[in-house]
């Protein structure tokens, strides 16, 4: 039996000052923390206003981040890439003002880049001491986002059947994109030459570089105003405060012990659908543990790397990217939802988590040149696996599952015979929680959104016939799962449809009696004799002019027994067209009276109680997690996994 291991790193967690910020002025710490948040937001606003591609400008599928000279992330509103590969290849002492670094090479990114369309720009921040001398690097401003096309086998650079990273587009290890304030035109030309959308790519890169340079100037002014020693002490204090807060408020909610849970990706684009396992063994150590109180995430038991592009390179630099990616799930253990919203995830969570990886050759530890463009199937699933394994530890006091990102789109020639690519990141419903229903149609990327109908209809050859909530998509529960989208496009010209999506067989699971949500589906010409389903992984499904594409995204899983849901809330959901009348009876046991049409919809309390008791008496013992009917199909007939039971 093989054992799991730590991921080596050349950049161990370290502080800037001898006392780790203990002596920092608390007022200045607040000022610095607010300034960092303002600079980050200003950078993102500048990118959003000056970029060109729909994915960056309109869908807002990008992030900014600010890091100190030890490569530690200081801001906590969202995840970002890593500075580590830039510092690895370019010594800080050789950097000069005006330098801009670029990379997108997954295997050279220290785990910070998941697939090649995610392009990353990094700008060092400089400060010159009062005594003069050479400017020194004191921080970094970074932006990375998902771009429309970086070459490869298919438009959009996400070939669903790729078996090698060479099919996925241009790989660029860390390079200088600007040298001392001057763009390196040869590098820019190589990148735009490899893109099917060269003008949009060039404009996006210019926006990102310029915004990060502006952000570096703003941070430089902060150092000039308060001095390097004071600002770096504040940086240490910001990170140390996060560590202390999470240890006090979050880790304390998990008892000492060990729990195991797993979930699955359903297909990899190459092999037939099957269960691609992602497993976490969670251990909470005691306060007197020789290595300290911490959470250990052990990924032993994860499936071998896939032939297709669902692999993710997680075992680099101590797993530091995955630590920060997964840590937001921990916030659900906060005392109140309001407190949860106040908790940032910066580098301060890193000392609290220990990552242990299986040997090379798994979904999380793939070997080059394994393809990775659909790595969301793994890293999004890991969010749910962590939530599930913690739920086992805290009697379900965690949200049910959600799948809130997938890529769909169309490409071809527009009405003026120009090539186009329209790609959209449609969200889905979030899981029900122990105190509230899930949210409808959310996106995993903060501030991202679906493309505006007014924009898409004016730019692309289709009509958006409808965009609304997918009725009954949220998993039934005492607290219902959030609903996914239903979007219908009517093509005005022949085109090809593309989709990179998971959860089309395996639904988002429900917990503690809650039921699974509805899976993702795409139907061409719904409710007609010409109706046909499209696989969730598709590169070039032909759609003729006049045909309708119907996309239904996933609903979140439900939390708690649906028979415990307040009947008045079920009546409300039927009135709002979130739950159908059939589901009200079948899933919730609510006997309705009247109708929405006559504005007298209500429920019969006595009949509802009798119906609910009938359902309780008839149903068998159920596991802690409900995976929906798709699991039986892929598991060989099993209704649940062994780990689904407490």
């Amino acid at each position: 039996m093989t054992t799991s291991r730590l991921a080596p790193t050349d950049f161990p967690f370290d502080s800037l000052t001898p006392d780790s910020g203990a002596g920092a002025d608390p007022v200045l710490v607040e000022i610095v923390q607010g300034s960092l948040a303002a600079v980050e937001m200003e950078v993102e606003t500048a990118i959003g206003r000056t970029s060109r591609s729909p994915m960056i400008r309109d869908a807002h599928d990008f992030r900014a981040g600010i890091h100190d000279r030890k490569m530690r992330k200081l801001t906590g509103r969202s995840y970002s890439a890593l500075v580590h590969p830039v510092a690895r290849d370019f010594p800080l002492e050789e950097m000069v003002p005006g330098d801009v670094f670029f990379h997108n090479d997954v295997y050279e990114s220290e785990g910070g880049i998941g697939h090649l369309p995610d392009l990353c720009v990094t700008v060092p921040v400089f400060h010159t001491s009062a005594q003069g001398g050479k400017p020194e690097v004191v921080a970094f401003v970074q932006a990375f986002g998902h771009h429309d096309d970086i070459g490869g086998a298919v438009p959009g650079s996400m070939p669903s059947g790729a078996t090698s990273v060479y099919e996925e587009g241009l790989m660029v290890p860390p390079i200088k994109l600007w040298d001392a304030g001057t763009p390196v035109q040869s590098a820019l030309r190589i990148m735009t030459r490899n893109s099917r959308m060269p003008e949009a790519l060039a404009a996006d890169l210019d926006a990102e570089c310029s915004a990060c340079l502006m952000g570096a100037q703003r941070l430089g002014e902060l150092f000039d105003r308060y001095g390097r020693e004071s600002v770096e002490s504040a940086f240490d204090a910001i990170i140390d405060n996060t560590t202390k807060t999470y240890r006090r408020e979050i880790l304390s909610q998990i008892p000492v012990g060990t729990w195991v849970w797993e979930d699955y990706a359903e297909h990899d684009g190459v092999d037939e659908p099957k269960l691609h396992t992602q497993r976490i063994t969670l251990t909470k150590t005691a306060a007197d543990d020789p290595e300290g109180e911490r959470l250990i995430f052990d990924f032993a038991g994860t499936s071998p790397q896939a032939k297709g592009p669902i692999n993710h390179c997680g075992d680099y630099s101590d797993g530091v990217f995955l630590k920060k990616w997964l840590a937001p799930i921990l916030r659900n253990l906060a005392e109140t939802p309001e407190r949860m919203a106040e908790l940032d995830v910066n580098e301060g969570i890193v000392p609290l988590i220990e990552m242990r990886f299986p040997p090379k050759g798994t979904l999380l530890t793939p070997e080059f040149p394994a393809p990775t463009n659909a790595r969301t199937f793994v890293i999004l699933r890991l969010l749910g696996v962590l939530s599930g394994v913690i739920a086992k530890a805290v009697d379900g006091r965690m949200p049910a599952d959600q799948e809130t990102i997938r890529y769909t789109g169309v490409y071809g020639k527009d009405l003026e015979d120009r090539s186009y690519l329209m790609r959209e990141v449609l969200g889905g419903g979030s899981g029900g929680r122990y105190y509230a229903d899930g949210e409808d149609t959310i996106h995993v990327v903060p501030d991202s959104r679906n493309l505006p109908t007014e924009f898409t209809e004016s730019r692309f050859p289709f009509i958006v016939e409808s965009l609304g909530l997918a009725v009954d998509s949220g998993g039934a529960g005492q607290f219902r799962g959030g609903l996914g989208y239903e979007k219908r496009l009517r093509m005005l010209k022949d085109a090809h449809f593309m989709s990179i999506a998971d959860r089309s067989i395996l639904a988002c699971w429900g917990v503690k009696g809650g039921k699974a949500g509805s899976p993702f589906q795409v139907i061409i010409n719904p409710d007609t004799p010409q109706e046909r389903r499209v696989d969730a992984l598709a590169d070039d499904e032909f759609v003729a002019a006049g045909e309708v594409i119907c996309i239904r995204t996933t609903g979140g899983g439900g939390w708690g027994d649906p028979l415990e849901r307040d009947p008045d809330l079920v009546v409300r959901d039927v009135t709002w067209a979130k739950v159908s009348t059939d589901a009200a009876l079948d899933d919730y046991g609510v006997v309705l009276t009247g109708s929405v049409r006559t504005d007298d919809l209500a429920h019969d309390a006595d009949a509802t109680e009798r119906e609910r008791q009938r359902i309780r008496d008839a149903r068998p013992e159920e596991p802690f997690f409900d995976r929906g009917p798709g699991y039986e199909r892929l598991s060989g007939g099993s209704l649940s996994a062994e780990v689904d039971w407490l």
Side-chain angles (χ1 to χ4, degrees), residues 215-228:
Q217 179 181 341
R218 297 283 190 269
L219 278 185
E221 294 167 356
L222 186 70
F223 279 86
D224 293 341
R225 186 177 305 123
Y226 297 109
R228 176 172 177 172

Side-chain angles (χ1 to χ4, degrees), residues 163-446:
T163 57
S164 162
V165 72
Y166 295 112
E167 301 169 60
E168 298 179 319
L170 183 68
M171 289 181 285
V172 184
I175 63 170
K176 272 191 181 183
L177 196 58
W178 287 38
D179 189 354
T182 301
V184 181
Q185 294 297 338
S186 56
L188 288 164
R189 187 178 180 192
I190 289 171
M191 283 187 280
T192 54
R193 180 63 173 166
N194 278 273
S195 174
R196 296 173 178 84
M197 304 289 166
E199 294 87 0
L201 177 59
D204 287 350
L205 287 173
D206 188 53
E208 290 156 357
C209 291
S210 299
C212 287
L213 285 166
M214 175 195 66
Q217 179 181 341
R218 297 283 190 269
L219 278 185
E221 294 167 356
L222 186 70
F223 279 86
D224 293 341
R225 186 177 305 123
Y226 297 109
R228 176 172 177 172
E229 183 178 347
S230 296
V231 173
E232 290 195 334
S233 183
F235 286 176
D236 276 347
I238 290 168
I239 291 174
D240 189 58
N241 288 343
T242 296
T243 304
K244 291 176 178 176
T245 298
Y246 273 76
R247 178 175 284 119
R248 181 180 65 252
E249 299 185 27
I250 302 300
L251 266 64
S252 63
Q253 302 299 314
I254 303 175
V256 173
T258 298
W259 301 267
V260 182
W261 202 61
E262 66 187 35
D263 204 1
Y264 318 93
E266 63 195 25
H267 54 175
D268 72 346
V270 176
D271 287 332
E272 289 299 309
K274 64 179 183 180
L275 299 178
H276 296 269
T277 303
Q278 292 137 73
R279 174 179 290 184
I280 293 179
T281 299
L282 168 68
T283 298
K284 163 69 181 301
T285 65
D288 59 356
D289 186 272
E291 297 182 46
E293 182 185 28
R294 66 200 187 283
L295 300 177
I296 300 173
F297 301 164
D298 191 331
F299 301 103
T302 295
S303 287
Q305 71 184 50
K307 294 178 185 177
I310 65 173
N311 306 289
H312 176 73
C313 297
D315 60 331
Y316 292 84
S317 286
D318 195 35
V320 68
F321 175 83
L322 272 182
K323 290 182 183 183
K324 289 179 284 189
W325 169 260
L326 293 173
I329 292 297
L330 300 175
R331 295 186 298 189
N332 289 286
L333 293 169
E335 185 176 2
T336 65
E338 292 76 18
R339 180 57 178 155
M340 179 179 69
E342 295 172 350
L343 296 176
D344 281 345
V345 174
N346 58 33
E347 210 77 15
I349 61 90
V350 169
L352 301 174
I353 300 173
E354 179 181 310
M355 295 280 194
R356 296 180 182 175
F357 293 93
K360 284 290 186 182
T362 72
L363 290 172
L364 267 180
T365 61
E367 296 185 273
F368 182 84
T372 66
N373 75 75
R375 94 306 187 198
T376 52
F377 293 15
V378 169
I379 61 170
L380 283 179
R381 193 67 65 255
L382 285 178
L383 295 172
V385 178
L386 180 58
S387 184
V389 75
I390 294 175
K392 294 180 74 171
V394 298
D395 191 32
R397 194 175 176 270
M398 291 291 287
D401 192 32
Q402 63 184 41
E403 177 78 359
T404 55
I405 189 171
R406 74 273 303 149
Y407 303 92
T408 61
V410 290
Y411 64 92
K413 297 283 188 178
D414 65 16
L415 297 178
E416 298 180 10
D417 209 35
R418 300 172 300 186
S419 294
Y420 75 91
L421 167 63
M422 188 289 294
R423 190 168 52 183
E424 189 167 23
V425 184
L426 281 175
S430 70
R433 299 156 286 183
Y434 67 91
Y435 57 87
D437 293 344
E439 299 291 339
D440 302 326
T441 59
I442 67 164
H443 296 242
V444 73
V445 181

Side-chain angles (χ1 to χ4, degrees), residues 488-624:
R488 298 192 179 207
L489 308 177
R490 183 177 295 276
M491 300 307 302
L492 301 179
K493 194 172 182 180
D494 292 355
H496 289 87
F497 174 80
M498 61 168 59
S499 172
I500 297 288
D502 201 19
R503 290 298 199 207
S504 64
I505 302 172
L506 300 172
C508 296
W509 45 263
V511 66
K512 204 174 183 182
K515 303 304 179 183
S518 294
F520 173 83
Q521 63 177 215
V522 177
I523 301 174
I524 308 295
N525 299 319
D527 307 319
T528 71
Q530 291 75 40
E531 176 179 301
R532 69 181 191 274
R533 288 182 176 253
V534 178
D535 192 81
L537 280 172
D539 291 333
D540 55 359
E541 178 74 21
F542 178 74
V543 185
E547 292 194 306
V548 173
I549 305 169
C550 177
I551 303 165
R552 282 176 61 97
T553 68
T554 50
W559 192 98
D561 187 345
L563 301 183
E564 298 298 323
R565 185 168 179 80
D566 184 340
D568 288 334
L569 294 180
V570 177
V571 172
R572 181 205 66 182
D573 286 345
V574 173
T575 302
W576 290 356
K578 290 189 173 186
V579 171
S580 67
T581 55
D582 288 345
L585 180 63
D586 297 341
D587 296 339
Y588 294 96
V590 173
V591 179
L592 298 174
T593 62
S595 71
V596 174
R597 182 177 56 82
T598 56
D599 198 27
D600 61 350
L601 186 70
H603 75 282
D604 183 319
D606 292 337
T608 294
E609 183 52 41
R610 290 193 298 271
E611 177 64 15
R612 286 183 162 184
Q613 190 59 50
R614 184 193 67 79
I615 296 173
R616 290 188 187 98
D617 293 342
R619 68 187 180 189
E621 183 183 7
E622 297 177 326
F624 197 60

